[in-house]
Amino acid sequence: DQQVKQNSPSLSVQEGRISILNCDYTNSMFDYFLWYKKYPAEGPTFLISISSIKDKNEDGRFTVFLNKSAKHLSLHIVPSQPGDSAVYFCAATRTTSGTYKYIFGTGTRLKVLA
Amino acid sequence: NAGVTQTPKFRVLKTGQSMTLLCAQDMNHEYMYWYRQDPGMGLRLIHYSVGEGTTAKGEVPDGYNVSRLKKQNFLLGLESAAPSQTSVYFCASTPPLGEATDTQYFGPGTRLTVL
């Protein structure tokens, strides 16, 4: 049972436009959500996160939106740049469990076209 | 400060052989994790550790064993490798409870092929 889902395996966007990556989850106990970026032959790197007490968090060109009622989060990248081309993973955790186990989605490959 | 390092970077095994993957971190992190990444499957948690001397099973623990004898090291063992264990393995670590939960640091990965 996939608790965190990224239904779009790939996405292509023109440089300068907005990239929107989506993520759905099924476990209502998750209270902290993260996005990671991964380049080929490298480990994932943390991008941005959001707590369930918020519905939006911004960091420069990156904004994460959380819709708890829909169990959905999205990552917006504006404006998209060729260097943003990578695989993006969303992840979720239940901080109250004390174990900090992270459940990852299957990833979305973003390609930003110059 | 090297962060999270993994040894080796690449390895080819024959079915039935054994090996150990080493993960080391120099950030004094309490929590350490082993994941595997397969095409279309994302990152799946194999085992994790919440402190020196402790380990716990993740989503896909079968066929693997782990040990955390020292706080800075987390070892992943394959006792009898199978082709289904062909994957890219990532180690990660996070700071202690109470600190930022968004700082999960990953190593560069180990690409393992089992023939």
Side-chain angles (χ1 to χ4, degrees):
Chain A
D1 179 32
Q2 190 76 21
Q3 296 187 69
V4 178
K5 301 176 186 179
Q6 293 176 257
N7 293 317
S8 298
S10 64
L11 174 68
S12 291
V13 172
Q14 287 290 332
E15 181 179 6
R17 305 294 293 269
I18 184 172
S19 295
I20 300 176
L21 293 87
N22 294 305
C23 179
D24 298 292
Y25 61 96
T26 58
N27 189 340
S28 58
M29 299 301 290
F30 289 145
D31 59 2
Y32 198 81
F33 305 88
L34 310 92
W35 284 94
Y36 288 85
K37 178 178 181 179
K38 185 184 179 305
Y39 292 118
E42 294 183 10
T45 55
F46 169 75
L47 193 57
I48 192 169
S49 62
I50 187 166
S51 165
S52 60
I53 61 172
K54 295 184 176 181
D55 54 18
K56 178 182 173 181
N57 188 28
E58 284 182 86
D59 183 2
R61 296 185 297 113
F62 303 92
T63 302
V64 56
F65 295 92
L66 176 62
N67 182 333
K68 287 191 293 292
S69 61
K71 295 191 181 70
H72 176 83
L73 62 154
S74 61
L75 173 68
H76 292 211
I77 307 173
V78 183
S80 300
Q81 299 173 354
D84 297 328
S85 296
V87 177
Y88 290 78
F89 291 100
C90 67
T93 187
R94 178 184 169 190
T95 58
T96 54
S97 71
T99 60
Y100 286 97
K101 285 171 60 175
Y102 298 81
I103 306 298
F104 283 79
T106 53
T108 296
R109 183 177 302 276
L110 173 66
K111 189 171 184 179
V112 179
L113 306 170
Chain B
N1 192 331
V4 179
T5 58
Q6 292 183 232
T7 309
K9 287 187 169 53
F10 302 94
R11 186 72 186 267
V12 178
L13 289 179
K14 294 181 180 178
T15 297
Q17 287 184 317
S18 63
M19 77 162 294
T20 300
L21 282 68
L22 171 65
C23 175
Q25 51 95 5
D26 59 2
M27 298 172 284
N28 199 36
H29 286 171
E30 289 290 339
Y31 289 24
M32 296 186 74
Y33 310 78
W34 275 107
Y35 295 90
R36 60 179 287 174
Q37 186 195 6
D38 302 292
M41 301 293 287
L43 288 158
R44 293 184 292 168
L45 182 64
I46 305 171
H47 286 280
Y48 64 103
S49 168
V50 299
E52 181 179 322
T54 72
T55 62
K57 293 180 180 180
E59 301 170 79
V60 289
D62 294 341
Y64 304 95
N65 56 76
V66 288
S67 64
R68 183 100 180 267
L69 298 178
K70 293 183 179 180
K71 186 177 183 179
Q72 63 268 32
N73 295 337
F74 195 27
L75 279 65
L76 177 71
L78 286 73
E79 289 185 349
S80 179
S84 61
Q85 294 177 304
T86 294
S87 187
V88 181
Y89 292 85
F90 289 101
C91 177
S93 69
T94 60
L97 271 176
E99 297 188 21
T101 56
D102 56 7
T103 48
Q104 192 176 40
Y105 295 86
F106 280 84
T110 294
R111 184 174 294 274
L112 175 66
T113 301
V114 183
L115 302 176

